[in-house]
Amino acid sequence: MSTDAIVMLREGHKEIRRLIRSYRVEGRTEAVGPFLRALTVYTYIEREGMYPRVCVLLPETEPEILSYIEEHHIADVLAAELYDMRPGEIAFDAKARLLMDIVERHMDAEEHRWFPRVRAGVGRRELQEIGAWMTRLAERAPQRPRRPSVHTMWDAVAA
Ligand SMILES: [Fe+2]
């Protein structure tokens, strides 16, 4: 598997989109568990691995990165609440759909606006190194959503 950071994150997006489609189009509530797990790992490696490095290597994209961190934060809140719910509960479907809408919007923005700038502005070798680092982070990533703390969400980029 390639360790190019952008390729890796795009693969994560693809898996997340497949699970969103499975829930939305095929009505598979059993896709929500794997969706939340994939989302948790993806947001963790991106927040701990990708954002802090790109903030240093390409500081002109920092405003975008800060808005992505805010989007992750909202997604984390909804994901943690959804994790504690069961399909059929009154707000389950509304919450799942809102979370999926936010995550899709986030992935679209990264793919169309941010990844091209990162690809153009960060060297291939650095992206390989970030990818290798994210591969190691993925091995110790949390497997389920946790309610985020607003006080710790900035730590990775502020470090
Ligand atoms: Fe992201």
Side-chain angles (χ1 to χ4, degrees), residues 9 13 42-43 46-47 51 68-69 71-72 103 106-107 110 114-115:
L9 291 173
H13 286 188
Y42 157 80
T43 51
E46 192 173 58
R47 194 182 57 233
Y51 292 159
Y68 295 149
I69 291 173
E71 288 173 354
H72 276 209
V103 169
H106 171 86
M107 295 188 302
E110 287 186 338
W114 192 56
F115 289 166

Side-chain angles (χ1 to χ4, degrees), residues 36-46 137-139 141-143:
L36 290 176
R37 195 158 47 245
L39 186 65
T40 301
V41 173
Y42 157 80
T43 51
Y44 178 78
I45 66 171
E46 192 173 58
L137 283 171
E139 284 161 15
Q143 299 292 308

Side-chain angles (χ1 to χ4, degrees), residues 65-76:
I65 293 171
L66 296 181
S67 78
Y68 295 149
I69 291 173
E70 290 296 333
E71 288 173 354
H72 276 209
H73 179 66
I74 298 298
D76 287 348

Side-chain angles (χ1 to χ4, degrees), residues 34-140:
F35 164 73
L36 290 176
R37 195 158 47 245
L39 186 65
T40 301
V41 173
Y42 157 80
T43 51
Y44 178 78
I45 66 171
E46 192 173 58
R47 194 182 57 233
E48 302 294 320
M50 184 75 168
Y51 292 159
R53 285 301 294 149
V54 177
C55 247
V56 172
L57 296 167
L58 209 61
E60 61 269 36
T61 69
E62 189 184 74
E64 276 167 278
I65 293 171
L66 296 181
S67 78
Y68 295 149
I69 291 173
E70 290 296 333
E71 288 173 354
H72 276 209
H73 179 66
I74 298 298
D76 287 348
V77 171
L78 292 172
E81 290 175 0
L82 190 61
Y83 183 82
D84 288 335
M85 299 175 78
R86 294 291 156 258
E89 268 186 63
I90 186 157
F92 183 91
D93 185 59
K95 205 176 286 288
R97 285 175 188 276
L98 177 62
L99 172 59
M100 289 171 182
D101 288 348
I102 288 169
V103 169
E104 250 183 358
R105 190 192 103 116
H106 171 86
M107 295 188 302
D108 285 345
E110 287 186 338
E111 287 172 12
H112 296 128
R113 294 209 306 266
W114 192 56
F115 289 166
R117 294 181 69 193
V118 176
R119 174 66 73 204
V122 177
R124 185 160 291 272
R125 179 185 295 232
E126 273 111 346
L127 287 171
Q128 294 279 341
E129 277 166 15
I130 297 169
W133 171 230
M134 288 197 296
T135 303
R136 290 197 293 280
L137 283 171
E139 284 161 15
R140 63 170 203 237

